[in-house]
Amino acid sequence: MLIDSLLFSKHIPYSQCRELIKKLSDLSNVYFDVKVKHIRTLTENMPINKELFYTVEILDEAISKGRKVEFTYNSYDVDKKLHPRRKDRYVVNPYQIASTNGRYYLICNYDKYDDISNYRIDRITNIKLLDEKVKQKPLSWTLPKHMAEHIYMFAGKSEYVEFRASRDIVPEIIDWFGIGASFTEVTDNKVTVRVKVNLNAMRLWALQYAKHIEVVYPTSLREEIKSDLKEALKKYTT
C-alpha cells in the first residue's frame, strides 16, 4: 500500500519515487522485490518541481509552530516550465497539508478573508517561513468536511446541490462525495441526490458526468451548466 501511494502520486519526481520504492522494497524479502520490478510509475512523464520536498518541510514546520508562510505560486505554460501567476508574493496562514487525486495541497487562509484557500504544493516555489503567528482557523472547519465539499480543491463557498442521476453511478457518487450524499426518490433506474459541495467543483463534475446526471438545484448552477453544454456542442457541430 505504501508503494501504491508512491506509484499513483503525480507530484513526486520519478527519480525520487524510484529511490523511495527501492527503500520500501529493501524492508521486505527477495520474493517481494521480484514482484515490484515490473511496476512502473507515471511520474517519469510529469514536469518536475525540484523544491517539492523542501516546500513540504517548511510547510510542516510552519503548521507545527503556528506561523505564516510566504511563497511564489506558479502555473505551467507551453514551455512546460513553472511561471509566477503574479508579481506579488502570497502570504498565508497554513492549516493543513492534504493529499487528493494524486496531488498534495496546502489548505490555508488569507488574513483579510474568512474563507479557506487551496494551493497545489508542487506549484509552490521560493517558500519562506515567517515570524508572524497564524490566524486561528474557522471553528466550523474540519478537514473531512472540507475535502468532501471540494472534490477538485477549488476555492469558494459550498452550497447544497440537488441532481437526478442514473442509479448505476451511485458507486461513483459515493466515491466523489462520500457518505454525506443523501439519496431520495429512488427507482430502479433513477435517484435524486443531495450534496453540499463547492459550486465551481460541482459545475465541472456535472460536465464530466453529463450523460448520467441532471442538476436540478440551484437554478443558477443549472443554467451555467446548460450554457457550458451548448458551447461544447457548437465545437462539434461547426
Side-chain angles (χ1 to χ4, degrees), residues 41 55 61 89 117 125 150 154 199 203-204 209-210 225:
T41 176
T55 300
E61 182 179 356
R89 303 257 291 164
S117 298
T125 56
H150 295 77
F154 290 154
L199 293 185
R203 183 176 176 178
L204 181 59
Y209 284 89
I225 294 167

Side-chain angles (χ1 to χ4, degrees), residues 23-214:
K23 288 180 178 179
L24 288 171
S25 299
D26 288 345
L27 298 175
S28 188
N29 58 39
V30 64
Y31 303 105
F32 179 80
D33 189 53
V34 169
K35 292 178 182 178
V36 298
K37 284 183 178 178
H38 305 292
I39 302 174
R40 295 296 296 272
T41 176
L42 300 179
T43 56
E44 57 189 295
N45 197 36
M46 300 297 292
I48 295 174
N49 177 357
K50 296 181 179 179
E51 298 180 35
L52 175 67
F53 285 104
Y54 177 72
T55 300
V56 171
E57 182 180 339
I58 296 299
L59 287 174
D60 184 65
E61 182 179 356
I63 294 169
S64 298
K65 294 181 177 179
R67 289 161 61 182
K68 295 180 183 180
V69 292
E70 177 184 284
F71 56 80
T72 301
Y73 195 61
N74 308 271
S75 59
Y76 284 101
D77 205 346
V78 293
D79 61 0
K80 304 171 187 175
K81 294 180 180 179
L82 289 171
H83 298 273
R85 284 195 174 184
R86 68 185 195 193
K87 290 183 179 179
D88 295 337
R89 303 257 291 164
Y90 289 67
V91 178
V92 302
N93 300 290
Y95 295 140
Q96 188 81 47
I97 295 174
S99 177
T100 184
N101 298 323
R103 310 274 186 198
Y104 272 153
Y105 288 86
L106 168 64
I107 300 174
C108 59
N109 161 265
Y110 282 96
D111 275 340
K112 61 180 180 179
Y113 301 114
D114 293 325
D115 59 353
I116 298 293
S117 298
N118 310 303
Y119 292 100
R120 285 260 302 268
I121 292 180
D122 59 312
R123 294 184 180 177
I124 291 175
T125 56
N126 303 314
I127 193 167
K128 180 181 178 183
L129 181 66
L130 302 180
D131 292 329
E132 298 175 66
K133 292 291 184 181
V134 298
K135 182 174 74 175
Q136 184 178 7
K137 69 182 73 169
L139 295 176
S140 62
W141 184 87
T142 65
L143 182 60
K145 179 175 177 286
H146 182 82
M147 300 300 284
E149 294 178 6
H150 295 77
I151 53 178
Y152 293 111
M153 297 303 282
F154 290 154
K157 65 179 181 178
S158 299
E159 292 185 15
Y160 282 104
V161 174
E162 188 174 293
F163 60 92
R164 292 287 289 166
S166 300
R167 181 83 180 266
D168 56 4
I169 71 158
V170 166
E172 282 78 8
I173 292 170
I174 293 174
D175 278 348
W176 282 97
F177 299 102
I179 60 174
S182 62
F183 301 102
T184 57
E185 301 178 4
V186 180
T187 69
D188 290 342
N189 301 314
K190 295 284 185 179
V191 61
T192 297
V193 187
R194 190 170 187 260
V195 295
K196 190 173 185 183
V197 63
N198 173 274
L199 293 185
N200 292 325
M202 185 64 202
R203 183 176 176 178
L204 181 59
W205 188 87
L207 294 173
Q208 181 179 345
Y209 284 89
K211 279 183 63 177
H212 308 284
I213 76 148
E214 176 192 357

